[in-house]
Amino acid sequence: MQRNSFFLITGLVLLTATTACQKSLLTVENNSSAVQTSEYFTTADQCNTSTQVCYQYIDWNSWWQTFNWRYLSGEAASDNAWINNTYQGSHATYNAVSEYTLDAGNDRNEAQWIQLYKAIGIFNNTIEGIQGAPIDSASKTKFIAELKFLRSWSYFDLVRNYGGVPIVLKTYPANTHLPRNSVNEVYDQVITDLNAAIAVLPRKSAYAASDKFRASSGAAQALLAKVYLYKEDWANAEAAALQVINSGDYQLETSFGKLWDYAYKNGQESIFEVQNASSQNPALPASALYMMNAVADGGWGYYGPTSDLENAYLTAGDSIRRVWTINRQGRPVAGDPNNTNFNAGGYPANQSKSGRFPRKWYVPKAQRPANNLFSRDDIILRFADVLLIHAEACAMQNKPGDALASLQKVRSRVGLTTDMSLSGWDLITAVRNERRLELAFEGDRLYDLRRWKDQSGTPVINSILGPNGSFVRYNTQTSTDIFETHNTIEPQNKGAHFNPAIHLLWPIPTSEIVASGSVLKQNPGY
Amino acid sequence: MKRRLLLLSLLTFFLGGSVLSQQGPVVISGVITASAGTPLAGANVAIKGESKGVITDDQGKFSLSARPGAILVVSHIGYHTKEIHTTGKTFITEALTISGQEMENAVVIGYQTASRKSVSTSIASVSAKDIESYTTGNVGNALEGKVPGLQVVSGGGLPGAQPKILIHGLSSINYNNNPLIIVDGVESEFNDLNFINPSDIATIDVLEDASAAAIYGARGGQGVIVVTTKRGKGAPTINVAGTYGINKLPRIRLAGAQEYAGVMNQEAAVSGQRTLPFPDPSKLTSADYWKNTFDDGHTQNYVVSATGGHNGTSLYGSFGYYREDAYNATSLGGNWQKYTARLNADMELNKAVKIGFSVAPRYETWLSSPNNTYAAYSMDPTVLPFKSQDSVRKSIPNGFMDMTAFNPLYSTPNRSTYNSITNPAFNYLTNFGKNDYFGSQYAAYLQVAPVKGLVLKTAIEGFVNVGQYNNYVPKYYLASNGYNVNAQLSSQTTLYTRWKITNTANYKITVKDHSFDLLAGQSTDKYFVKATSAARQGPTAIPLDDPSFQYISAATGTITGGGGSYQPGATPWGNMVSYFGSLRYNYKQKYYLAGTMRADASSLVNPLYRWGYFPTVSGAWIVSEEPFFGKLADKAINYLKLRASWGKSGGNLPPASGAYLTVLGATTYPNATGGYIQGYAPATIANPEIRWEIQKDYTFGLEARALNNKLDITAEKFIRNPSNLLENITVDYILGYPQGYYPTQLANIGKMTTNGWDLSIGYKDNITRKLRFSANLTVSHSKSIVKDLGTADPILGHEANDAISTFRSRLTKGHEPGAWYGYVTDGVFQSDAEAAAYVNKNGTRLQPTAKAGDLKFRNTNGDSVLDSKDFSDLGSPWPKFTGNLTLTFNYGNFDLRAEFYGSFGAEYFQSYRLNMNPNSHLNFKSGFADQFWHGPGTSNKFPVLRYPDQNGNFSKMSGFFLAKADFVKCNLLQFGYTIPKWIRGVQNLRIFVAAQNLFAVTKYPGLNPDLPWYNNVGYNGVDNYQALPSRVFLVGLNLNL
C-alpha cells in the first residue's frame, strides 16, 4: 500500500505540473517567417523597404498574370499579334480572348482583374501601415506618394480594360461589397493620386543610383499625360507631356536598338520600369520572356507579330524598327551575332502561326542566364511614348507645328523623314501609325485602337476587326503570307467575332460578380 | 419428451456399462440440443486427441464409434464448447449454452475498454484474422470494404502509395476528412496506418459516430481508429511468416505508329491543313511505349514475432521487413522498403500495480516512383525510343552548356517533336529522389488500483519521426526546348516530435442491479516540427556524374537554395490541454445509458476563443433480455439490441498555427544597381475568430444474432451534421486581400449533412465436420449534401492549367459536394444543316460556330442563349454504395478465402477523352479514335476530332467527359494448406498461394475504376492517368514454433 501511495502522489504531481505549464504551452502564435502587421511599421527603414518591395506588384511577373495580359490583350487581341503557339493545344482561353469568343468566365481576363485589385489592396494596406507609423512626416508623405503612383497605374489599367470599376482606397472587412464607380470617377481618382504624387515625389535625376527605379514626379506626369489622352482631354495631356519633355530628365536613346539590349536598365529614355533580376537566392522577380521565345529557341512560342504588322513597317520603309520588333524565320536576328538564321519552328512545321516572334523581348543567345531567370526589365513608360502623347494631343487640338516637332524626334531616331506639311486628319493618322510602329509589342495597341475615333466618331477598332474589318479581310482574302496561310491551327479569320456592341471593354469576371453578391453589374453584352 | 430422453439415457448408461467391459470400440450416440432443448443441427462431435468426428443431423442426433472412456468434444458456432466424458455411456444428451463471446469481447471505447454488449455508440471492430491474409505495407488496404461505415480510397499503384480512409462519409469540405489513429492509447496519426506492421495488430476498433469519438474532443471529428497491438500471453510461441509476390500490370494496347499517324493525318485533313503531319504512315516504325515502360514489380513481406508470459511479466515482440518494387523493376522505377519492430512489455508487480512499455521503431527507405502512365500512354509511337549517346552529344549546339558531369545517357530517350512528349524512360533514368524516414513511438503506463473498483493510470507517450530527402537532377539535353544546364542537388531534413501525458481515474461500482462506470481524465500534449533544407546547383556543381557526388556535400559552390521551418505547435496536432470524463450506467445489463464530456484548449486558436466543449449521450436496450422476448431468444433470434446516440465532437482545427493573425511576409525586390531590397509586404488579412469545425450526429443501431447464432447482423443509420466548417470565404476580389489567388479568408461558416446507413451480415456454419463455411457481407451507403458555404458558394473544381480551365465540378448549397457541373449534351450534330437548325425561339443560332460532328449542348433553361445558366449537375463522383463480400471455406487442413469489393453509382471524369483534343496530338488506346464522330451516323456521343475547336467540344465541361464507374473486383483469392505437427518443435506450418486485385467486373471505359483520391471534396473522381494497381500473385508460408 505504501508503494501505491507513492504512485498516487507521483501521478498527482504530474497532473499539477502539466496543468501549471499549460499557459506557456498554449501561447504559440504565428511562427512562419511572417510578422504580425500590428507589430510592424515602427521605423522609417521598415516603411521605406515595405514601399520599395511594393513595386513588384505593378507587374505580377509570372507568365500567366498581368505580364501575360499585357501581350494577350494589348497585342494579340489587336492586329499586331497572333497567339502564335500552335505547338501546344492547351490554351483555349488565350484563343478566346484574341478571337473575341471569350465569355465572362475567361480565366486570363479574370487573372488580370484579380491581380490588379490585389496590387491595389497591397498598396492600400501598406499605406495604412505607414500612415500609423511613428516616423517623420516628410518620409511618410513621400512613401505614400510612391504608393499612390503605383495605385494610380493599377486603376488606369483597370479603367481602360473594364470601364468604371469600384474605387477601393483602404482595407475593408471581408464581408464588404462595393458597387462600380463611373469611368469619370475612376479617372478622377487616378488624377487625384497622380497630382498628390507629383507634388511630393523627387525628379528621377534627384534619386540616388540604386533608387532610379522608384516613382518620380516625371513618371507621375507621364502617366498623367497618358490618362488625359485616354480621357480625350487634349489640352491637359499636352500640358502634362510638356512638363516631362521640358524637365530635361529624359532623352530618347540615340539608337532604337539600345532600348532592346538585354542589359538595358533605367536608361535616359526610361521613365518607369519594373525591375527584374536573374537571381534564385534571394528569389527576385524575373521576367517571363521564355513565354515569347520560339519553341525551337527554347521558349513557349506565344505571341508572334502578324504579317499585317510587318507590312506596316514595310509600307513605312521602316527597316530599323522592323528588325528590332520582328524576328522572322530564316532571317538574322538584330543584335545577336550568334543567331543568323532565326528558327521560328521551321516551315511548314506547325509550331508557330506566323513564323515571326517579337525581337523586343528576345534575349541574345550569349546573354541567356543559365538559370533561365531573365533580368530584362519591363518598361511601363518611356520617353518616346510621351513624345507621341504630346504629338497626338497637339494634333487633336489642330496644333500641327507642336505635333510634328515631337513626331519628328521619334522618326528621326530611326532614320525616317517626316512630312512637315501634314495637318488635320492626315497628321492624326500619321501620329497614330507612328504609335503602332514605335510601341508595337509594348502592350498598348488594343487600347489605342479602342480609344481612337475616326472622323465620324466611331472607334477605329470597329473598322479593323469584325467580319468586315480590314485586318480580317486582309487575312482571309488578300494575304498570301507563306507562314500564316499554311498554318490554320490558329484560325485565319482572327477578329471576325469582334462585336463593337460588346468588345470595347472586357467583361467583369463571372466569379467576381458572384463574389460581390451581384453588387457588381456586368458590362453590356457579356 | 424430456422425461423420455432421460429414461433412454439411463437405459444406455446401463447398457453402456456392459459394453465397457468388453474393452473394444463402442458406438456412442446421442442428441445435442440448445439450452432450451431444441435440437442443434451441424454441431461438431469429435473425439479428443483424434482426428475422428461427426456432425449432428437435423434432429441433433449423432453416432460414432470410439474407444471406451474417450472424451467427446462438442462444439458449435455460437455456443460454448463442451467436453463430455463417455466412461460408462453409449448414449448422450447434451445441451450447449449460447456463447456470448462476441458480445463479451472487449471493445476499446477510448481511455477504457467495455464489453461489446454494453456499447451504446457506433463502434465497429475487425480482428487480426480479417486482415492478416492480405499482404500489404499498409493495413488500410486490407480494410477495404470490411468495416461497415469505413471507406478506403485506394492510394494508387505506386510503391508505398497510402490509401485514404473515410468514416461515415464526408465530415469536412476543405480540410481533413481522415480519422485520428490511436495505437494502444497513443495518438499516432491522422489517416495514415503506414507506421504499423499489420501483423502486430490484434484488433481494430473504429469509433464511428461523434458519440463514440468525442471522448477525443477536437481531434475526434473525423472518427477514430483504435488499433490494439498484440501483447504477450500464455506459453512462449514464435511465428515466422514470409510472402513473396510478383506484381503484374494490366496490359493496355495503345495505337501503333500507323494507327496514330492515320488519325493525326485525318485530324489535319478535317481541319483544313494543307500539309499532313505524316505524309507516308506506311513507312513508319512503331514503338510500344506501354510495353517498353512497364514490366513486373515485386512484393515481399517477412515477419518474425514471439509472444509469451511468465510470472506476471509478458512480452510481445516482432520484427518485420516489407518491400515493394515498382512495376519497372529493372530500372530506376522506384521501390519502397520498410523495417518495423515492436516490443510490448507488461509487468504486474502485484494485484494493485501494473506497468507497461512499448517501443515501436520503423525505418523506411524509398526511391520515389515516377508515375509514367500519362507519358507511356500519350507518347508519339512513331518516335523511336532512344537515340545514341553519340547523337546526343552532336545535337547540343557548340558552347551551349558546360559539359562538366554531363552524362549523355540521360538524354538518350527521344522526345517527340510532334507532341512534345518524352519517352518515359527519361523519368526512370533521371530518378534520383531518395528518401529515408525513421519513425519511432514510445509509450509507457503505470496503473494503480488502490481500492476495489478504482484504477488510476498515468500514460506517457511520444513519437520522434525524422524524414530525410535527397535529390539530384542531372544535366540533360533532350531538345532545344528541353534541357537542364545545371546539375542540381538538394537535401531536406524534417524532425517531428510529440509528447503527451494522460492521467485518468476510473471507478466502477455495482449497487444491486445498478452499475456505474465513472471516468475522469486530463491530458497535455505538445508537438514540434523543425526542418532544414539546402540546395546547390550550377554548371560545374559536381565534377562527375557518379553516385558518390550526387549528394549536396560533394557539390562545390555556394548554397543556392536554403530554408527551414520552425513550428512549435504545428498542425495538425498543435499543443493542447484537455479535460474529459464519462459516466456509463446500466440497469440489470439490460438498459444502458452513457454520457461523455470533453474540454479542449488548443494553441491553434486565438486565446480569446480557445476552449471547446464536446458532450455526448447514448443509450442501449438489450431487447432479447426482456421476459416478453421469451423463447424467441433461443430460437430464431438469439440476441437483439437497439441503440441510439447523439454526440458533438470537434472537427478540424485551424490549418496553421497563428492562422488567426494578420501578417506581413518577407519579400525582395531588385534595386536599380544590381542589389536588392528586403522588405515586408501584406501576406494575410486574417479572421481572428477561426476555431475548430464541429461534428454533430445521431446514430441508430440494431445488433442481432439469429439462427442459433450462425447469423450475425448489425445495421446502422446515421445522420451527421458537420458545421462550423472552415471555408475559405471568397472575399470580394476588389478588396484585394493578398492571400490566395482568389482572395479568401478562413471562416467557420460551412455546413453539410451526411446521411447514411451501414449493414453487416455474417453467416458461418459447419456443413460437414470437415467442411466449414463463412460469408460476411458489408454494405455502406452515405450521401452528403452541402448546406451552406456562405459567400464561398459556389466553389468550382478545376485544374491549375488546363484546356478546360474554368471548372469541372462544383460545391454549392443543396447539392452533392463536387458534383460534376456543365452542359448536358444531346448527342452530336450529324450535319452542318442540323447544327444550323439548332436555334432559339427568335431563330438565332444557339451554337453559332457549330458544324457537323460538334456536340449539341442542351439549352436547359429554354432562354435565348446558351450560357452558364444552362449548366446542370451531371453526376456524382461519390459512390452510392460500397461493399465487401468475404467468403471462407475450410476443408480439413485446406482453406480457401475470397474477398470481393464493389462500388456503385460513381461517375468519373475521363481525361482520356479530354486528351483526344486534336490540338494535343496525344496517343490513345488502339481503336479509341474510331469511336469519335467521322461522318454522319458514326457517333452520337463523341465529337469530331477537328481543330480549331470553336464549338468547345474539348474546352467546355459537358457530360461527354463522364463515365459510370460501377465495378466489383476480386481483392483476394487465397488457397492454403496447413501441415499439422509437421516435425518436432513445429506446431504447424501453413503454406499458401494467393492473388490480390485479381480481376474486376466492370463496364467502366477508363483505366482504373478503383480511383485514388484526386484533389479535394469539391474536386474528386478524375481518372487522370493515375498509376494503375497491379495484380499481385503471391506464395507464402506461416510457421508456428
Side-chain angles (χ1 to χ4, degrees), chain A residues 63-83:
Chain A
W63 59 270
W64 59 283
Q65 300 171 326
T66 49
F67 174 82
N68 182 25
W69 187 255
R70 185 170 305 141
Y71 306 102
L72 174 55
S73 165
E75 304 293 334
S78 79
D79 51 0
N80 269 3
W82 299 99
I83 295 295

Side-chain angles (χ1 to χ4, degrees), chain A residues 349-369:
Chain A
N350 287 335
Q351 289 193 355
S352 74
K353 169 71 175 172
S354 82
R356 299 168 181 84
F357 281 89
R359 168 59 187 90
K360 285 181 175 176
W361 309 113
Y362 169 90
V363 182
K365 296 197 170 188
Q367 289 174 280
R368 293 181 189 180

Side-chain angles (χ1 to χ4, degrees), chain B residues 172-234:
Chain B
S172 178
I173 289 173
N174 283 317
Y175 292 93
N176 188 12
N177 271 280
N178 311 129
L180 174 67
I181 313 282
I182 294 179
V183 178
D184 298 331
V186 180
E187 290 179 5
S188 302
E189 269 289 356
F190 284 91
N191 186 49
D192 196 349
L193 280 154
N194 170 45
F195 60 91
I196 190 163
N197 185 336
S199 69
D200 285 343
I201 295 172
T203 56
I204 294 176
D205 297 294
V206 185
L207 315 188
E208 300 198 343
D209 62 356
S211 185
I215 193 72
Y216 292 103
R219 292 180 183 138
Q222 288 74 242
V224 181
I225 294 182
V226 182
V227 177
T228 306
T229 62
K230 292 170 181 166
R231 301 195 89 87
K233 63 178 180 199

Side-chain angles (χ1 to χ4, degrees), chain B residues 71 90 156 179 319 365 371 373 375 458 547 662 737 752 824 855 909 1034:
Chain B
I71 296 170
T90 53
F319 181 82
T365 178
N371 176 12
T373 314
T458 292
T662 290
Y737 278 27
M752 187 160 64
V824 178
L855 291 172
F909 185 94
L1034 300 139

Side-chain angles (χ1 to χ4, degrees), chain A residues 4 7-8 15 19 25-26 28 31 35 37 50 93 110-111 114 118 172 174 210 275 281 283 295-296 488 511-512, chain B residues 273 353 446 456 480-481 522 560 566 568 575 579 610 657 662 664 668-669 672 680 732-733 737 740-742 805:
Chain A
N4 291 351
F7 287 122
L8 197 61
L15 182 81
T19 311
L25 180 95
L26 291 177
V28 173
N31 47 50
V35 52
T37 308
S50 279
T93 57
E110 182 189 74
I114 289 175
K118 209 176 268 293
Y172 286 92
S210 62
Q275 311 293 299
N281 184 31
V295 171
T488 51
S511 57
E512 163 62 290
Chain B
Q273 281 297 106
V353 181
L446 170 66
L456 304 175
S480 63
N481 60 344
Q522 175 272 342
T560 53
Y566 168 85
N575 295 348
Y579 298 92
R610 183 164 275 166
S657 61
T662 290
L664 304 161
T668 47
Y669 188 67
Y680 283 82
D732 197 338
Y733 305 166
Y737 278 27
Y741 169 64
Y742 296 104
S805 53

Side-chain angles (χ1 to χ4, degrees), chain A residues 281-303:
Chain A
N281 184 31
L284 296 176
S287 184
L289 299 181
Y290 47 80
M291 218 187 154
M292 287 184 279
N293 273 346
V295 171
D297 196 23
W300 293 1
Y302 283 95
Y303 310 128

